[in-house]
């Protein structure tokens, strides 16, 4: 799964669960203590040595507009980039279990019908193994990056660091870009991470500020009639 695909999926999931959060407390009060599915935690997938010389490229991690014709040069090495998010991924087995649970939430005959979960419960039941999250965090710190918060779902680790440290960690460089008069920054090449982390790590978001334009509808008139026009 590419970073762009993961970001779209997370945005959609956030929208869904944001709508469910107010129900979580109510639902919990109506349910027996053992209403959670009996699922074993994920098995640790990072089993080899994390070697920074054995790398894999993360496909889709370079923004499409980070082109040489727009490039204005490397960012200052000491500039701090804040609020970067490292996306993690579930194992195929856990992803299948999660999608099955989502389907059962809206199936009236299911024992888990409308048994909404908190973000932390989702992390415990379907997230990466805590040992893997710890190892990824240790790797970030070993690269001179400062760890922020880990999301309750276990799928996001916040961090910050200088452009030099981030570039070193992900084997790329951060450049400025001018596109249609607007200033942007982005990684100039695909991100790379140690191969030992590839089964758990999707990649770092917020290494660029190329954001998709929102779509909206403009109301106008044509021939005396009111019409809608999609913009974006």
């Amino acid at each position: 799964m590419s970073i762009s695909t993961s970001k779209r999926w997370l945005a959609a999931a956030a929208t869904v669960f944001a709508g469910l959060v107010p129900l979580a407390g109510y639902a919990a009060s109506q349910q027996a203590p053992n209403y959670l599915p009996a699922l074993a935690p994920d098995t640790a997938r990072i089993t080899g040595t994390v070697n920074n010389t054995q790398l894999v490229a993360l496909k889709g991690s370079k923004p499409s507009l980070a082109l040489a014709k727009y490039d204005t040069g490397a960012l200052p090495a000491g500039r701090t980039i804040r609020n970067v998010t490292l996306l993690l991924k579930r194992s195929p087995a856990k992803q299948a279990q999660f999608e099955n649970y989502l389907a059962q939430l809206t199936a009236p005959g299911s024992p888990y019908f409308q048994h909404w979960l908190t973000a932390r419960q989702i992390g415990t039941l379907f997230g990466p193994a805590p040992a893997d999250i710890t190892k990824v965090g240790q790797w970030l710190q070993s690269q001179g990056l400062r760890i922020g918060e880990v999301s309750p779902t276990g799928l996001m680790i916040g961090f910050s660091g200088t452009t030099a440290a981030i570039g070193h960690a992900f084997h790329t460089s951060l450049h400025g870009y001018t596109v249609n008069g607007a200033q942007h920054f982005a990684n100039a090449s695909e991100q790379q991470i140690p191969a030992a982390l590839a089964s758990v790590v999707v990649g770092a978001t917020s290494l660029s500020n190329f954001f998709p334009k929102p779509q909206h509808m403009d109301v106008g008139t044509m021939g005396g009639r009111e019409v809608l026009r999609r913009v974006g």
Side-chain angles (χ1 to χ4, degrees):
M1 183 182 293
S2 69
I3 289 178
S4 57
T5 300
S6 296
K7 289 170 71 176
R8 289 195 298 271
W9 188 94
L10 286 170
T15 301
V16 171
F17 285 106
L20 301 182
V21 166
L23 298 176
Y26 170 80
S29 67
Q30 307 298 313
Q31 295 157 351
N34 62 346
Y35 78 93
L36 294 175
L39 298 175
D42 194 20
T43 301
R45 285 168 279 158
I46 303 175
T47 56
T49 301
V50 179
N51 188 330
N52 287 310
T53 65
Q54 297 176 358
L55 306 173
V56 294
L58 302 177
K59 294 182 179 180
S61 60
K62 176 187 174 183
S64 59
L65 288 175
L67 302 174
K69 64 181 180 180
Y70 301 134
D71 197 331
T72 59
L75 298 183
R79 175 175 171 177
T80 298
I81 306 296
R82 305 183 189 280
N83 302 319
V84 186
T85 299
L86 190 70
L87 295 181
L88 307 186
K89 57 187 174 184
R90 300 183 178 96
S91 65
K94 281 298 174 185
Q95 184 63 33
Q97 289 176 351
F98 179 67
E99 291 174 1
N100 179 60
Y101 191 86
L102 289 181
Q104 294 191 61
L105 282 175
T106 54
S110 166
Y112 304 115
F113 177 60
Q114 294 189 349
H115 286 191
W116 316 113
L117 301 178
T118 66
R120 190 163 300 282
Q121 288 172 327
I122 292 170
T124 299
L125 292 170
F126 307 108
D132 285 341
I133 297 173
T134 297
K135 286 183 179 180
V136 172
Q138 290 172 340
W139 171 73
L140 288 170
Q141 291 177 318
S142 74
Q143 302 303 297
L145 303 172
R146 177 173 294 181
I147 301 296
E149 294 185 354
V150 178
S151 69
T153 62
L155 295 178
M156 295 180 284
I157 301 177
F159 70 92
S160 61
T162 64
T163 60
I166 291 174
H168 176 76
F170 293 95
H171 299 268
T172 185
S173 58
L174 301 182
H175 284 216
Y177 296 89
T178 300
V179 182
N180 296 326
Q183 304 297 315
H184 299 275
F185 68 88
N187 46 298
S189 59
E190 298 277 20
Q191 299 172 30
Q192 298 182 67
I193 60 170
L197 303 178
S199 63
V200 175
V201 174
V202 177
T205 67
S206 308
L207 291 193
S208 88
N209 61 354
F210 282 112
F211 302 119
K213 295 181 179 179
Q215 292 191 345
H216 62 277
M217 302 296 289
D218 276 357
V219 178
T221 58
M222 181 179 294
R225 295 179 299 172
E226 189 175 80
V227 297
L228 297 177
R229 179 169 63 90
R230 185 174 296 280
V231 179

